[in-house]
Amino acid sequence: MGLKSAWLVVVFLFLGVAVAKNVNRLNVWPMPKWVSRGHNRVYMSLDFQLVTDGSKYIDGSGILKDGFTRMLDVVKVAHVVDGDLSSVDKSLIIKGIHVLIFSPDDQLQYGVAESYKLLVPSPEMPDYVHLEAQTVYGALHGLQTFSQLCHFNFTTRLIEVHMVPWTIIDQPRFSYRGLLIDTSRHYQPVPMIKKVIDSMAYAKLNVLHWHIVDIQSFPLEMPSFPKLWDGAYSVSERYTFSDAAEIVRQVILLYAQRRGINVLAELDVPGHALSWGYGYPSLWPSKDCQQPLDVSNEFTFKVIDGILSDFSKVFKFKFVHLGGDEVNTSCWTTTPHIKKWLKEHRMNGSQAYQYFVLRAQKIALSHGFEIVNWEETFNDFGNKLSRKTVVHNWLGGGVAEQVVASGLRCIVSNQDKWYLDHLDTPWEEFYKNEPLTNITNPKQQSLVLGGEVCMWGETVDGSDIEQTIWPRAAAAAERLWTPYDNLAKDPEQVAGRLAHFRCLLNQRGIAAAPLAGLGREAPIEPGSCYVQ
């Protein structure tokens, strides 16, 4: 073992012992806005109940009920809870949770209220937990937090809540807290996408950015243009449109929506689209020069219109991502028929790139979407972009500052800090990355919607995606949720709490990697989860 590895073991051994042996420390991730706690203990009833008396939310779709059931499942962590409560003081037994939701609406959209207040126990009803929220999605976050306060006692075989009374008042710092997954570089089975959604909810991330197609494959069936998925890797590595509707309406509305998570669909144009041409070769500039999509062909824009029309039927998030990054126009300027078209329209390659992006934006707007584009579009012709554009920063620092100064909105994903496929970026760098760096004007700060960690798929499939995402994505999740003044200035101050959360993910069936080392590393030797 090298000196660095030995040092890491010592550090995490110390932290792990502190976490494992002291159940009375504050182990909530991400850190709430405001917390007060006591020194006592209560026990959950064996028939812990959900009560909603006085709530304006009737839960006709079952979102709250399902969230409550999931909370009980993860609290029990698959153990048999069959302890004897007969000898426990009845004043120490919590019968259930009283959830009070003020809005009857459960429409999930960007900017939905996510705040909550959690009291354990309730001052008015001491035998109940009290949870109140403006919306059901705030209540779901409150249930997640409550689940982290609960502990299974292996001696008594009961669920206990330590350090009562608890008062937690909480709300997110940013409304957009995203995770990108890439199903083009490697196909991700629907059950794995669902597991990723589960894990996002545990960390209070709320946008799944689905990078569906790219150069390598086009796995999604499009009813408007059914040959597009000829670009899939194989006939079994596909999503039917019914699957997509299932992913969106069932996995997302009855799965992700039930976890407070929006889905941002991405259609990256005009580059990153080689796979489109396997079904429709006329989308290629030529058979020997296959991307970007042929800007001179009206059929190209007819296909984009058809795809976005199909998207609008299932993806209900207000935004759609149109990509626009890494566009090399040499195929346009060297292919004879496109070169002729450029000359007729008095355009060079750069001007044609602008034309393509702006025309795609107009199509998206016609289908009711607002637009997200990668930052190259802003860098090259920012003053021409629709004012409904959100610029997605990825190349580096300083761009967000320029975007909001221009009056446009921004999402931060700078690759040097928040790209999960960069395995040499440790969790500490994910934690320290600040979306509002050098942005001090309050109005401009409000234009930063939030941030997103990106799990590009070149080296991940269903076998390793979870341990590549976690726990580093959790470090960014706290940066995006927790008030700035509550964030640790030195990431090592939260290492023990993050190690505890990583072990909690493992207990819930999520394959989160150890903190020690870089991304996706395996444990270096036998030992407790808390010391890795």
Side-chain angles (χ1 to χ4, degrees), residues 119-185:
L119 304 174
V120 188
S122 168
E124 286 77 24
M125 301 169 61
D127 50 353
Y128 280 84
V129 175
H130 179 81
L131 171 61
E132 64 183 57
Q134 183 63 33
T135 69
V136 67
Y137 302 109
L140 292 182
H141 291 316
L143 291 173
Q144 288 291 349
T145 298
F146 178 66
S147 75
Q148 294 189 40
L149 304 181
C150 299
H151 305 275
F152 177 76
N153 186 314
F154 282 86
T155 301
T156 65
R157 297 196 301 276
L158 295 170
I159 303 296
E160 303 176 352
V161 183
H162 305 150
M163 298 184 288
V164 298
W166 285 93
T167 300
I168 297 177
I169 300 172
D170 203 8
Q171 66 183 57
R173 181 184 176 203
F174 292 101
S175 292
Y176 186 107
R177 306 178 305 282
L179 168 67
L180 176 148
I181 62 169
D182 172 3
T183 58
S184 173
R185 274 56 177 258

Side-chain angles (χ1 to χ4, degrees), residues 153-294:
N153 186 314
F154 282 86
T155 301
T156 65
R157 297 196 301 276
L158 295 170
I159 303 296
E160 303 176 352
V161 183
H162 305 150
M163 298 184 288
V164 298
W166 285 93
T167 300
I168 297 177
I169 300 172
D170 203 8
Q171 66 183 57
R173 181 184 176 203
F174 292 101
S175 292
Y176 186 107
R177 306 178 305 282
L179 168 67
L180 176 148
I181 62 169
D182 172 3
T183 58
S184 173
R185 274 56 177 258
H186 281 95
Y187 177 83
Q188 292 290 346
V190 169
M192 181 53 69
I193 295 175
K194 292 169 73 173
K195 285 195 72 181
V196 169
I197 291 168
D198 282 333
S199 61
M200 291 175 65
Y202 299 149
K204 298 186 175 72
L205 294 175
N206 71 341
V207 179
L208 178 69
H209 176 176
W210 188 6
H211 187 84
I212 305 170
V213 304
D214 209 293
I215 294 169
Q216 292 82 1
S217 73
F218 198 117
L220 180 59
E221 179 187 29
M222 286 286 110
S224 296
F225 292 93
K227 292 182 179 180
L228 280 169
W229 75 346
D230 289 357
Y233 281 126
S234 70
V235 294
S236 62
E237 293 173 293
R238 289 173 166 175
Y239 309 99
T240 68
F241 193 69
S242 296
D243 287 338
E246 187 78 6
I247 288 171
V248 175
R249 291 182 181 149
Q250 303 296 324
V251 174
I252 300 306
L253 288 185
L254 292 180
Y255 206 90
Q257 182 189 359
R258 289 173 177 272
R259 288 149 179 81
I261 295 171
N262 285 293
V263 176
L264 172 66
E266 181 175 357
L267 188 72
D268 198 348
V269 294
H272 291 274
L274 183 151
S275 61
W276 299 33
Y278 291 113
Y280 297 96
S282 65
L283 294 172
W284 288 334
S286 73
K287 66 177 182 179
D288 298 317
C289 206
Q290 298 172 325
Q291 62 177 347
L293 295 169
D294 188 345

